[in-house]
Amino acid sequence: GAGVSQSPSNKVTEKGKDVELRCDPISGHTALYWYRQSLGQGLEFLIYFQGNSAPDKSGLPSDRFSAERTGGSVSTLTIQRTQQEDSAVYLCASSPRDGAGKLFFGSGTQLSVL
Amino acid sequence: DAKTTQPPSMDCAEGRAANLPCNHSTISGNEYVYWYRQIHSQGPQYIIHGLKNNETNEMASLIITEDRKSSTLILPHATLRDTAVYYCIVRVGVMKTSYDKVIFGPGTSLSVIP
């Protein structure tokens, strides 16, 4: 079946603009994760959703970052008033409840803030 | 913070076994060891995981020490396509009813040399 889908694959924006990044997890997966990866760096945890529980937002770097997951499926990561340091690849992963804890990653959204 | 430590980089000759170490001295009894890899410009890919017994699949073998404080991922016959960053993480596994956030460290950059 289809894997984790992220859109857009590339986004170029101007400093100060708001952006929305979308993640379509694998159907039926209950957990959804967002990560940020700056050039040459490792994965930085941002937020994760598990079913209907309150999300773990402990990794969000500032209040300019927020995320929603509607209907337990699609998730949107919103960055308000973008800054140049927000430039990175934003990766989404999903995981099924009975999948032995494996994460399935999308290909990411490359965000460039000019 | 990540609960694992790995060497930042390693080289391996093509066709030889690549042995990637990971230290997880503070691992809890209900935490599994997972390995992922990230090939350039792609999202991370699951490789293998284990609790305390050694594991093998079509991609790799995982050797976990008896005290579970360290492990080694073995790629038996490394190819150029195995050049990637390899991440070792620990997390609660499938038996727990709710998932935790998954923290990645910087990983090991493996270069397979012709």
Side-chain angles (χ1 to χ4, degrees), chain A residues 45-88:
Chain A
F45 167 80
L46 297 178
I47 185 171
Y48 108 96
F49 299 86
Q50 171 56 41
N52 296 320
S53 302
D56 182 332
K57 304 179 181 180
S58 59
L60 295 178
S62 77
D63 58 8
R64 296 186 296 106
F65 289 72
S66 63
E68 291 184 339
R69 189 179 185 193
T70 54
S73 180
V74 172
S75 178
T76 302
L77 177 69
T78 301
I79 309 173
Q80 296 178 310
R81 306 180 302 281
T82 53
Q83 304 294 313
Q84 288 184 332
E85 60 263 30
D86 298 335
S87 296

Side-chain angles (χ1 to χ4, degrees), chain A residues 3-57:
Chain A
V4 177
S5 177
Q6 292 189 245
S7 61
S9 56
N10 283 281
K11 176 71 176 178
V12 180
T13 190
E14 294 179 349
K15 177 181 173 181
K17 300 284 189 181
D18 298 351
V19 296
E20 288 189 349
L21 312 179
R22 177 186 170 104
C23 173
D24 284 86
I26 294 172
S27 178
H29 281 197
T30 55
L32 187 148
Y33 303 79
W34 282 99
Y35 293 87
R36 177 170 71 174
Q37 188 169 37
S38 301
L39 186 63
Q41 303 298 309
L43 278 73
E44 175 188 5
F45 167 80
L46 297 178
I47 185 171
Y48 108 96
F49 299 86
Q50 171 56 41
N52 296 320
S53 302
D56 182 332
K57 304 179 181 180

Side-chain angles (χ1 to χ4, degrees), chain B residues 4 19-35 46 48-56 60-74 88-91:
Chain B
T4 63
N19 297 281
L20 293 93
C22 180
N23 181 284
H24 33 80
S25 59
T26 61
I27 192 170
S28 300
N30 65 345
E31 288 183 317
Y32 287 66
V33 180
Y34 288 77
W35 284 83
Y46 166 85
I48 198 168
H49 76 286
L51 182 62
K52 53 185 178 181
N53 296 323
N54 298 337
E55 302 287 345
T56 295
S61 294
L62 174 61
I63 308 298
I64 303 174
T65 58
E66 189 170 347
D67 63 7
R68 303 211 318 125
K69 293 185 176 181
S70 65
S71 61
T72 300
L73 179 74
I74 301 173
C88 168
I89 62 172
V90 297
R91 64 171 303 200

Side-chain angles (χ1 to χ4, degrees), chain A residues 30-31 33 35 37 41-43 45 48 50 56 58 91 95-103 105-107, chain B residues 34 36 38 41-46 49 87 91-94 96-106:
Chain A
T30 55
Y33 303 79
Y35 293 87
Q37 188 169 37
Q41 303 298 309
L43 278 73
F45 167 80
Y48 108 96
Q50 171 56 41
D56 182 332
S58 59
L91 290 159
S95 182
R97 177 170 288 282
D98 57 352
K102 300 175 189 177
L103 268 63
F105 281 83
S107 297
Chain B
Y34 288 77
Y36 289 80
Q38 186 175 26
S41 299
Q42 299 181 21
Q45 173 194 23
Y46 166 85
H49 76 286
Y87 299 99
R91 64 171 303 200
V92 294
V94 65
K96 190 167 174 64
T97 56
S98 63
Y99 283 71
D100 55 338
K101 64 186 181 184
V102 183
I103 304 299
F104 287 76

